[in-house]
Amino acid sequence: MVKLTAEMKEDIKSVGVLPLATATKSGVPNVVPIAILEIDDSDEKDDYINIMNNFFLKTLNNIKENPLVALYFWTPETVGCNQIKGEVVEITDKGNVYEDFAARVRPEKPDLPLKEVIRVKVTEVFDCQLGKEAGKQKL
């Protein structure tokens, strides 16, 4: 059960582009920039990060082989430096999650394909700020 703090949610929104790390089943890494994502905190127990897939190739293949992912967020303006680990629990191009997200993105980005939503359940958050807490689990 992991719920992001209000500060973390604000930091994620303010960063703009977050790196998404994936790996093949055999461990070959891949990192891509993610600009179209949203936090879904409607579940009482867990938070989810919904990521819109527009151009994933290796990323989508990796997720299908190995659903464990990581996101990182930090800028000089954010409160902290955090790494989120999560598990992809759904890849969908239909249903409420997809339709609602696509409806918000389409007006701002009409040229994007909006192929599907990658739904990531947040499982852990780690500190990546310089200092004695670096690498320690926060949530």
Side-chain angles (χ1 to χ4, degrees):
M1 178 169 116
V2 177
K3 296 292 278 181
L4 299 170
T5 67
E7 268 181 354
M8 289 174 185
K9 292 174 189 177
E10 285 304 312
D11 283 350
I12 290 169
K13 290 176 188 175
S14 73
V15 169
V17 177
L18 285 77
L20 172 68
T22 62
T24 63
K25 195 172 192 171
S26 64
V28 177
N30 185 59
V31 178
V32 295
I34 301 298
I36 302 177
L37 63 87
E38 65 181 6
I39 300 164
D40 179 350
D41 57 5
S42 61
D43 185 291
E44 290 182 22
K45 295 180 184 176
D46 296 299
D47 279 345
Y48 294 82
I49 297 175
N50 296 329
I51 300 168
M52 188 60 74
N53 171 13
N54 290 298
F55 304 108
F56 292 167
L57 179 62
K58 294 183 300 260
T59 299
L60 188 59
N61 289 337
N62 287 357
I63 288 169
K64 288 178 178 178
E65 280 186 27
N66 175 5
L68 303 178
V69 301
L71 291 154
Y72 155 85
F73 59 99
W74 175 86
T75 69
E77 292 78 34
T78 56
V79 175
C81 179
N82 296 284
Q83 179 196 62
I84 294 174
K85 294 194 183 216
E87 180 177 0
V88 173
V89 295
E90 184 177 22
I91 302 171
T92 186
D93 63 354
K94 53 187 161 265
N96 290 343
V97 171
Y98 173 80
E99 294 300 330
D100 292 347
F101 193 12
R104 286 188 295 281
V105 174
R106 234 178 243 114
E108 294 179 31
K109 307 283 185 181
D111 295 333
L112 292 179
L114 308 179
K115 293 179 185 177
E116 58 208 352
V117 171
I118 309 297
R119 189 160 166 80
V120 178
K121 179 181 177 181
V122 177
T123 57
E124 300 171 293
V125 179
F126 291 86
D127 192 326
C128 52
Q129 188 79 24
L130 295 174
K132 64 181 180 172
E133 299 301 310
K136 291 188 179 176
Q137 188 169 354
K138 290 177 146 182
L139 302 174

